[in-house]
Amino acid sequence: MSKKYVYVWNNRRVEGNAKMKDILGGKGANLAEMALLGLPVPPGFTISTEVCKYYWDNGMKLPDDLKPAVEQAMHELEEVLGKKFGDNDNPLLVSVRSGAAVSMPGMMDTILNLGLNDVSVQGLAKQTNNERFAWDSYRRFIQMFGDVSLEIPHAKFEEALNKVKREKGVKTDIELDAEDFKKVVELYKKIYQEEGKSFPQDPMEQLWISIEAVFRSWNNPRAIKYRQINKLDDKNFLGTAVNVVAMVFGNMGEDSGTGVVFTRDPSTGEKKYYGEFLMNAQGEDVVAGIRTPQPLDELKNIMPDVYKELTEIMDKLEHHFRDMQDIEFTVERGKLYILQTRNGKRTPAAAVKIAVALVKEGLINKQEAVMRVDPADIEKLLHPVFDPEELKRAQYIGKGLPASPGAATGKIVFSAEEAEEMAKKGEQVILVRPETSAEDVGGMNAAQGILTNRGGMTSHAAVVARGMGKTAVVGAENILIDLKNRLIKANGVVIKDKEWISIDGNEGKVYAGKVKTIRPEGLAGELATLLDYADEVSDLGVRANADVPRDAKVAREYGAQGIGLCRTEHMFFGPERINKMRRMIVSKSEEQRRKALEELLPYQIEDFKGLFKEMEGFSVTIRLLDPPLHEFVPETDEQIKELAKTLGITEEELRQTVKELEEFNPMMGHRGVRVAITYPEIAEMQTKAILLAAIELMKEGKKVHPEIMIPLVGNVKEFTILKDSITQIADELIKEHNVDLEYKVGTMIEVPRACVVADQIGEQADFFSFGTNDLTQLGLGFSRDDYGKFINDYIEKGIYEKDPFQHIDREGVGKLIKIALDGGRSTNPHLKVGICGEHGGDPESIEFAHLVGLDYVSCSPYRVPVARLAAAQAAAKYKRGKKVNY
């Protein structure tokens, strides 16, 4: 029995459903599902994604048993519609459309009006009594077939069409008549000849060429780039399906049209019908941005019955799929057809608003809601907005449609390639195009924002920008975009290539120059609600890395449950402190060092009081001094001369100290716990400051939970020596001040040896915190300051799938963490364990932390909301106790 490759849907039978996206792709699965629901979808069939995989695995060859299955499906389509594929009098026309399991709007290919030739176009004209429509459809097919299937440059067809429009003195396609389109067809055929190609007159030949073209489009540059940008791993997908669907025509006249609608506003998430349409047009006209469409509300006036039926279907589909839907429709001579539905791309703000609304409407639960929003979208929501005071002085030059919200400023560039090139150099750019196409996806991703002067809210630029979370203003018709001279003109202002521009995607406004941005404060509205849902679902705590009260305050506003890492070295660089620190470093005796440290003690007490106040009621983990001492002394001759004078010592003495502090490999040198072993008085001063700060606040009635962290421990004896000293100081101060203060002493696990002997360390420690930056550096033997020179080569060659400093290397560093976790908890079942390296804010690493059973992650204050959502998603995907490969 041959493998099933073709699945049909029509008014007789339906072979698929919405759960079959892996096999049928999203488009095919949803068409089948809508057919099951009895909705007005054109009949057709789907060639499965398995054929795409076969095609690429077998040297771009189709399976032998595909042909009879496709021919049988075509015969069934003919019977259902009473038309004949290739018939000269009553031709069946089809569209051939791509559709992967995950929506990739505009990235792969589609061919419409397939089945027309020099004879059947005349039959179509007679059958419909509409010669203009028939020849319009034919010229569209010849152009699309040549562009998609034969790779004839699209611009050549556009120039030919524009030539006919210029000769007639018109601006738009709809002003051309049948005779004009006949001229266009002849010009198009000449283009084929010039390109050394031939246009096939046999419809079956057209079909097979088009099917292969759609399969090839799975690996076209824009589709590959889109998958890379959206982190869609090719290994998880079979490829694209091919949908062969009976054509319905929106270009049959003024009783026909086409459009794209959303069940909610994809920019704001507001619960209202949203979309656009064009009368006497085909679907490509709407999304290409060539004609500016009409808002959906106008359809109510033009075709009230169609509007009523469409909105009823929109409600039905949203309730059925339990999510905001993006729907393509066509009206043919007053009859409505639904061509596609899918979960709609939306802005980060809309994603959050819709997820919360659907919970309140009872369509989804809280766990589902947290899975509906990408953690990266949360970060985008907290990105800066334009400073209101700056806007008052900004030079306003024009306005378009607010396609995707946010504030973006950058140098204007006129091509996607330029945008990518400049972004790689760290420059901010705004991509400016008359309209964007799928080929621009890389540049759109690289740019801060997108500006077009054509297209509507459902154009390619708008849809893709929203999906990427990029600021976009589209359809700014008053702004002239001059590609030839590389400049834009608006409101009497000329802005040239690489000059600054600012765009406001919330209001659609455009400004000349660079407008200052500010960061929004705190969490509010639906975002706060969604993150409350996340905290209910999550099993991981989320803390922040914060060294000053200002950052701690932000962290609390963003929902941090404590401080997981306070780096105390940053506290010594203030102008009133650095020389006291340096005096301690150049001291020749312990007595001199202690005297200098006594001067630093009051500063440290105030530092820690500030953090404890902001984090009242939550744990604050303070790391004792970590970097090598040479980082606190100057290097240049001028600096040494000035410092020696300030400290009252000779230049030679200071140079000698600097020389003694030099190390060949300071990251693996005299730092962390090693400094405290050599100079215990430093750790003693910091311990006193921590405890005295906590005691002072306790006496004021504050709840304080200090945790003292010893960095870079690799041997349990290092830890016990310092822990004994810390405990002695702490217990004496608690007794002296007669307070009941609980404190913890733990360590930062950064040295591979510590992971191996974690059972010994865990027996003595109250907590572990993995410093994944250094653990990755030492575990891989990669210098984190130098690895950037070669890591891309490693990723390209598949040695590492991803940058190990951005995402935890689960096979290597991950196993070290698991060894340490199991070892520590084997001797201390109550050991609290977290991550405080940069990985603490990375969703993939947070998932790993959940899987191995850590208690918390700690990250930068501004990534706390991201971490809260990522932790909830990990819990939703993987229940505690479930055995999974981490």
Side-chain angles (χ1 to χ4, degrees):
M1 183 178 176
S2 61
K3 187 170 181 61
K4 185 171 181 60
Y5 287 131
V6 176
Y7 298 77
V8 305
W9 74 88
N10 54 52
N11 56 12
R12 297 178 182 177
R13 64 193 185 108
V14 179
E15 293 187 308
N17 58 57
K19 295 178 181 178
M20 297 174 65
K21 287 184 179 179
D22 288 345
I23 299 296
L24 303 181
K27 190 172 291 155
N30 285 350
L31 279 165
E33 186 77 7
M34 288 192 290
L36 288 171
L37 292 171
L39 298 181
V41 296
F45 60 89
T46 299
I47 303 171
S48 78
T49 57
E50 293 173 302
V51 179
C52 186
K53 185 175 189 308
Y54 182 98
Y55 182 78
W56 286 102
D57 288 349
N58 290 274
M60 298 171 75
K61 179 179 178 295
L62 295 171
D64 292 336
D65 48 353
L66 179 64
K67 185 177 180 182
V70 168
E71 289 176 346
Q72 175 57 41
M74 284 299 298
H75 289 319
E76 187 169 338
L77 194 53
E78 290 173 330
E79 290 175 8
V80 167
L81 293 172
K83 297 181 180 182
K84 187 87 173 164
F85 192 51
D87 190 74
N88 292 341
D89 298 317
N90 189 18
L92 166 64
L93 304 185
V94 297
S95 62
V96 179
R97 311 181 76 186
S98 59
V102 174
S103 176
M104 297 167 56
M107 297 303 117
M108 292 179 294
D109 289 329
T110 290
I111 298 172
L112 305 178
N113 307 301
L114 189 143
L116 282 173
N117 57 29
D118 291 347
V119 179
S120 62
V121 66
Q122 296 175 32
L124 183 64
K126 290 176 185 176
Q127 180 199 62
T128 59
N129 196 29
N130 189 334
E131 189 179 30
R132 182 197 180 279
F133 152 71
W135 284 93
D136 180 26
S137 300
Y138 194 25
R139 66 93 184 176
R140 289 171 182 269
F141 173 50
I142 295 174
Q143 176 177 344
M144 200 172 269
F145 184 86
D147 179 8
V148 171
S149 299
L150 304 181
E151 298 181 353
I152 298 173
H154 176 78
K156 292 198 171 190
F157 294 113
E158 282 298 308
E159 177 51 36
L161 179 62
N162 288 333
K163 181 175 183 290
V164 173
K165 286 194 279 191
R166 284 196 301 271
E167 288 174 354
K168 187 162 185 179
V170 299
K171 291 185 176 182
T172 63
D173 302 1
I174 57 173
E175 295 173 275
L176 299 178
D177 59 25
E179 294 305 313
D180 298 319
F181 285 131
K182 288 176 184 178
K183 292 178 187 176
V184 173
V185 167
E186 290 308 310
L187 290 174
Y188 282 2
K189 286 180 178 179
K190 286 181 182 177
I191 292 171
Y192 274 73
Q193 291 172 358
E194 291 166 4
E195 291 287 320
K197 314 276 186 180
S198 61
F199 175 71
Q201 292 288 318
D202 178 8
M204 282 306 294
E205 185 182 353
Q206 296 171 0
L207 179 63
W208 285 108
I209 291 173
S210 299
I211 287 169
E212 286 201 53
V214 173
F215 283 140
R216 283 199 305 275
S217 73
W218 173 252
N219 280 324
N220 69 34
R222 64 181 184 264
I224 291 171
K225 174 74 75 172
Y226 185 90
R227 293 196 291 275
Q228 290 171 347
I229 290 168
N230 291 278
K231 298 179 181 177
L232 300 173
D233 190 342
D234 280 0
K235 292 184 292 188
N236 296 328
F237 302 101
L238 295 171
T240 182
V242 173
N243 301 287
V244 180
V245 188
M247 280 295 300
V248 289
F249 301 97
N251 59 327
M252 274 194 169
E254 291 308 314
D255 60 351
S256 302
T258 186
V260 178
V261 292
F262 294 82
T263 55
R264 299 180 192 234
D265 187 325
S267 289
T268 66
E270 187 180 350
K271 189 176 182 181
K272 66 176 184 180
Y273 302 130
Y274 182 95
E276 297 171 324
F277 71 98
L278 283 169
M279 299 306 295
N280 199 15
Q282 288 197 344
E284 292 299 302
D285 299 339
V286 178
V287 297
I290 295 167
R291 287 170 59 189
T292 301
Q294 296 174 270
L296 180 63
D297 283 348
E298 285 297 311
L299 187 62
K300 191 189 305 182
N301 302 323
I302 298 169
M303 293 182 167
D305 291 342
V306 168
Y307 178 85
K308 182 174 183 293
E309 183 184 4
L310 176 61
T311 52
E312 287 172 353
I313 288 172
M314 290 169 71
D315 291 342
K316 186 171 186 176
L317 287 173
E318 179 170 282
H319 277 77
H320 183 76
F321 288 103
R322 302 185 309 122
D323 202 355
M324 184 262 278
Q325 294 298 290
D326 168 0
I327 301 164
E328 293 180 18
F329 72 93
T330 285
V331 181
E332 180 183 284
R333 290 179 167 173
K335 178 170 172 52
L336 175 68
Y337 292 93
I338 305 298
L339 306 185
Q340 173 175 305
T341 191
R342 61 189 174 194
N343 293 339
K345 299 289 182 187
R346 61 206 75 181
T347 64
V352 171
K353 188 177 184 71
I354 291 168
V356 171
L358 292 176
V359 171
K360 292 179 177 178
E361 291 167 26
L363 288 178
I364 62 174
N365 59 36
K366 293 177 181 179
Q367 192 174 77
E368 289 173 300
V370 301
M371 295 301 293
R372 294 284 177 91
V373 180
D374 188 327
D377 284 350
I378 299 297
E379 193 168 19
K380 291 168 187 170
L381 275 178
L382 302 173
H383 278 182
V385 295
F386 287 137
D387 183 338
E389 292 302 312
E390 283 275 321
L391 280 180
K392 292 176 183 176
R393 298 186 290 273
Q395 187 176 18
Y396 170 79
I397 63 169
K399 186 174 183 179
L401 299 172
S404 188
T409 186
K411 297 176 180 178
I412 62 170
V413 295
F414 294 91
S415 75
E417 292 75 19
E418 279 184 299
E420 291 189 77
E421 191 177 313
M422 289 182 65
K424 283 178 184 174
K425 297 175 183 176
E427 301 224 45
Q428 292 177 276
V429 298
I430 302 293
L431 178 61
V432 178
R433 301 284 297 159
E435 73 273 333
T436 64
S437 68
E439 281 76 14
D440 296 323
V441 65
M444 295 175 74
N445 184 60
Q448 303 296 309
I450 298 102
L451 171 66
T452 75
N453 63 0
R454 294 210 290 261
M457 297 291 280
T458 57
S459 65
H460 176 270
V463 170
V464 174
R466 284 195 291 267
M468 290 179 170
K470 296 285 181 179
T471 298
V473 175
V474 304
E477 294 179 352
N478 73 307
I479 296 177
L480 171 67
I481 296 175
D482 185 342
L483 295 180
K484 182 179 178 181
N485 295 304
R486 304 179 69 77
L487 54 83
I488 66 175
K489 293 180 182 178
N491 203 23
V493 178
V494 176
I495 302 174
K496 297 177 182 177
D497 188 30
K498 308 300 188 299
E499 290 184 342
W500 286 84
I501 194 173
S502 300
I503 62 174
D504 184 342
N506 298 302
E507 296 187 20
K509 293 181 178 179
V510 183
Y511 303 90
K514 188 176 183 179
V515 180
K516 179 185 173 185
T517 57
I518 57 173
R519 190 181 286 273
E521 294 182 5
L523 303 174
E526 286 87 357
L527 179 54
T529 302
L530 181 75
L531 292 174
D532 286 343
Y533 294 167
D535 292 343
E536 290 180 40
V537 173
S538 176
D539 293 316
L540 272 175
V542 176
R543 298 188 186 185
N545 301 338
D547 312 333
V548 295
R550 180 186 65 253
D551 287 349
K553 185 175 188 295
V554 170
R556 279 296 301 128
E557 288 172 350
Y558 284 165
Q561 300 162 348
I563 291 177
L565 173 62
C566 165
R567 302 174 176 92
T568 56
E569 55 271 15
H570 295 166
M571 299 171 173
F572 296 112
F573 285 97
E576 75 284 4
R577 309 178 187 205
I578 186 63
N579 283 338
K580 292 178 173 58
M581 185 67 174
R582 289 167 172 170
R583 187 175 296 283
M584 185 275 296
I585 291 170
V586 301
S587 296
K588 299 300 181 183
S589 67
E590 180 181 334
E591 182 182 357
Q592 288 178 335
R593 284 194 296 274
R594 288 189 180 276
K595 185 176 180 182
L597 288 166
E598 276 299 314
E599 293 183 34
L600 285 168
L601 179 63
Y603 293 107
Q604 285 273 269
I605 292 172
E606 291 305 310
D607 290 334
F608 300 138
K609 280 176 66 178
L611 292 175
F612 290 144
K613 281 180 182 177
E614 293 295 343
M615 283 291 164
E616 183 182 3
F618 292 99
S619 297
V620 175
T621 304
I622 298 169
R623 182 177 71 184
L624 300 180
L625 192 68
D626 181 56
L629 296 179
H630 77 84
E631 290 193 9
F632 297 97
V633 295
E635 296 178 355
T636 68
D637 288 342
E638 189 62 35
Q639 289 173 331
I640 286 174
K641 184 176 182 179
E642 185 179 335
L643 179 60
K645 184 178 179 182
T646 301
L647 296 179
I649 60 176
T650 67
E651 287 182 43
E652 186 55 39
E653 282 181 284
L654 183 52
R655 289 183 197 282
Q656 183 61 33
T657 300
V658 171
K659 186 172 179 59
E660 289 170 358
L661 291 174
E662 283 180 4
E663 293 182 316
F664 287 109
N665 192 343
M667 290 305 294
M668 297 173 68
H670 195 195
R671 53 173 285 226
V673 67
R674 300 155 199 169
V675 170
I677 292 292
T678 305
Y679 306 115
E681 53 272 17
I682 299 175
E684 289 172 17
M685 182 276 288
Q686 289 195 295
T687 299
K688 283 181 185 176
I690 293 167
L691 270 295
L692 287 171
I695 288 167
E696 279 190 41
L697 291 178
M698 280 193 70
K699 289 181 176 179
E700 295 175 14
K702 307 286 187 186
K703 294 180 181 178
V704 187
H705 302 285
E707 299 181 345
I708 301 172
M709 183 157 69
I710 302 169
L712 218 69
V713 166
N715 187 306
V716 68
K717 290 181 182 177
E718 292 174 313
F719 182 79
T720 53
I721 289 170
L722 251 70
K723 182 188 176 186
D724 289 347
S725 172
I726 291 167
T727 302
Q728 182 180 346
I729 293 168
D731 290 350
E732 286 175 0
L733 287 172
I734 288 169
K735 184 177 180 181
E736 178 187 338
H737 291 274
N738 192 28
V739 293
D740 184 16
L741 172 64
E742 289 187 11
Y743 65 94
K744 295 182 186 298
V745 182
T747 184
M748 203 168 185
I749 303 288
E750 317 165 73
V751 178
R753 187 182 191 277
C755 297
V756 178
V757 298
D759 54 338
Q760 299 174 25
I761 300 172
E763 197 170 8
Q764 302 296 322
D766 295 319
F767 64 89
F768 285 173
S769 183
F770 288 100
T772 52
N773 303 345
D774 271 353
L775 187 58
T776 297
Q777 179 169 240
L778 296 170
L780 272 61
F782 285 1
S783 163
R784 64 182 178 186
D785 297 317
D786 302 309
Y787 85 108
K789 299 172 185 174
F790 58 83
I791 191 62
N792 287 336
D793 298 325
Y794 270 58
I795 292 170
E796 285 174 13
K797 289 178 168 63
I799 299 170
Y800 288 101
E801 278 191 27
K802 297 168 183 173
D803 184 335
F805 285 94
Q806 293 183 20
H807 313 287
I808 284 177
D809 161 38
R810 297 190 184 191
E811 289 184 349
V813 175
K815 283 186 179 174
L816 287 174
I817 290 173
K818 189 71 166 64
I819 289 167
L821 182 66
D822 292 344
R825 285 185 174 160
S826 70
T827 54
N828 182 357
H830 302 294
L831 187 74
K832 186 164 59 175
V833 186
I835 284 177
C836 64
E838 290 304 309
H839 296 92
D842 167 53
E844 286 185 35
S845 302
I846 290 167
E847 180 183 275
F848 168 81
H850 170 85
L851 290 172
V852 295
L854 301 189
D855 296 300
Y856 67 89
V857 294
S858 188
C859 58
S860 81
Y862 290 103
R863 285 188 67 80
V864 165
V866 176
R868 290 168 66 189
L869 184 61
Q873 291 187 348
K877 286 166 67 177
Y878 305 107
K879 292 294 183 185
R880 281 276 194 195
K882 182 179 179 183
K883 293 287 183 183
V884 292
N885 293 323
Y886 57 82

